[in-house]
């Protein structure tokens, strides 16, 4: 599913295996999540600026770029930001050469989901050219590994799927902190030096 709310709605399908009472609970939960998501999306529209956002990290010589119609790109748009690859009208990931991503991302305001890296030193060990990216220079790199364990399990892809409202709030707080001043990020953390 490319839409975060549609992805969360799979909870209702799973609830079918547990009986009518669980289906009723799932419907109520999902209605509440959808209302919160819609409210947050409207709040993000009030932002004065739309920062440019890049995603991901290269793997084996290629950077797999999410198309504009993907789960990740829709979160960015709904949080009041511009996804760097809006011209990629696709529903999946496409391999793009590192150099092309570097040129396209040089002026990115934010860098999201750079793998499981926890600091900028480790990112630079992968490739020194990352230090040319504006988001790297400004330390505007945010990882979605805030809730992970030593074996690599990442709660962003587990409970986050049924909490798209929380992920959206995290992203709005990252891109437009004045809109959600009291928010405490659940799934994202800022990568420091």
């Amino acid at each position: 599913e490319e839409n975060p709310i549609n992805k969360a709605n799979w909870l209702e399908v799973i609830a079918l295996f547990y009986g009518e009472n669980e289906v009723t609970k799932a419907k109520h939960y999902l209605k509440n999540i959808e209302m919160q998501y819609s409210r947050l999306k409207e709040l993000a529209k009030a932002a004065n600026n739309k920062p440019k956002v890049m995603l991901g990290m290269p793997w084996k010589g290629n950077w797999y770029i999410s198309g504009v119609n993907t789960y990740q790109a829709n979160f960015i748009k709904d949080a009041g930001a511009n996804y760097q690859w809006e011209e990629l009208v696709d529903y999946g990931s496409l391999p793009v050469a590192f150099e092309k991503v570097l040129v396209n991302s040089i002026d990115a305001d934010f860098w999201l989901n750079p793998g499981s890296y926890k600091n900028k030193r480790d990112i630079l060990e992968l490739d020194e050219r990352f230090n040319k990216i504006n988001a790297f220079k400004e330390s505007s790199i945010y990882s979605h590994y805030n809730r992970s364990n030593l074996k690599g399990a990442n709660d962003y892809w587990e409970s986050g799927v049924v909490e798209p409202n929380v992920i959206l709030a995290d992203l709005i707080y990252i891109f437009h902190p004045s809109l959600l001043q009291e928010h405490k990020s659940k799934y994202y953390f800022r990568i420091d030096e």
Side-chain angles (χ1 to χ4, degrees):
E1 292 288 348
E2 68 276 356
N3 180 295
I5 292 296
N6 291 347
K7 194 169 196 157
N9 282 330
W10 279 94
L11 181 63
E12 190 175 338
V13 174
I14 294 167
L16 287 170
F17 293 102
Y18 297 97
E20 192 61 36
N21 188 38
E22 295 304 314
V23 172
T24 302
K25 286 181 189 176
K27 285 181 180 181
H28 177 72
Y29 175 80
L30 291 167
K31 183 178 179 184
N32 185 37
I33 293 300
E34 188 169 359
M35 287 182 350
Q36 289 178 40
Y37 193 96
S38 294
R39 182 185 59 79
L40 287 164
K41 187 175 171 180
E42 285 302 310
L43 178 67
K45 285 181 182 176
N48 293 329
N49 67 325
K50 303 274 189 228
K52 184 177 177 182
V53 180
M54 63 182 284
L55 275 174
M57 187 63 99
W59 187 70
K60 293 189 177 181
N62 281 311
W63 204 308
Y64 288 86
I65 300 297
S66 296
V68 72
N69 294 310
T70 59
Y71 182 70
Q72 297 291 318
N74 280 315
F75 266 129
I76 291 168
K77 179 179 67 177
D78 291 349
N82 291 319
Y83 180 46
Q84 70 169 15
W85 295 94
E86 291 191 350
E87 72 276 9
L88 285 180
V89 182
D90 202 284
Y91 293 89
S93 293
L94 303 169
V96 177
F98 178 93
E99 291 75 15
K100 185 172 182 179
V101 176
L102 186 63
V103 167
N104 194 39
S105 304
I106 205 88
D107 63 342
D109 299 300
F110 293 94
W111 181 357
L112 296 180
N113 308 348
S116 59
Y117 292 94
K118 302 227 187 275
N119 62 64
K120 290 170 65 176
R121 277 186 324 275
D122 291 344
I123 292 172
L124 278 181
E125 281 183 24
L126 180 63
D127 197 303
E128 285 284 329
R129 294 176 290 180
F130 288 129
N131 66 10
K132 297 181 185 320
I133 298 170
N134 184 58
F136 187 91
K137 291 177 192 174
E138 299 296 322
S139 293
S140 296
I141 309 168
Y142 291 84
S143 173
H144 62 322
Y145 272 80
N146 198 37
R147 294 172 53 92
S148 60
N149 66 27
L150 296 174
K151 295 186 183 210
N154 184 350
D155 203 28
Y156 176 90
W157 297 110
E158 295 171 16
S159 68
V161 171
V162 293
E163 291 187 326
N165 57 317
V166 177
I167 292 173
L168 183 60
D170 283 0
L171 292 174
I172 292 170
Y173 181 70
I174 289 167
F175 304 146
H176 311 290
S178 64
L179 296 178
L180 290 175
Q181 293 179 17
E182 302 299 316
H183 182 73
K184 301 286 185 242
S185 187
K186 181 172 183 178
Y187 293 103
Y188 280 89
F189 72 92
R190 185 176 181 201
I191 292 180
D192 294 321
E193 302 301 317

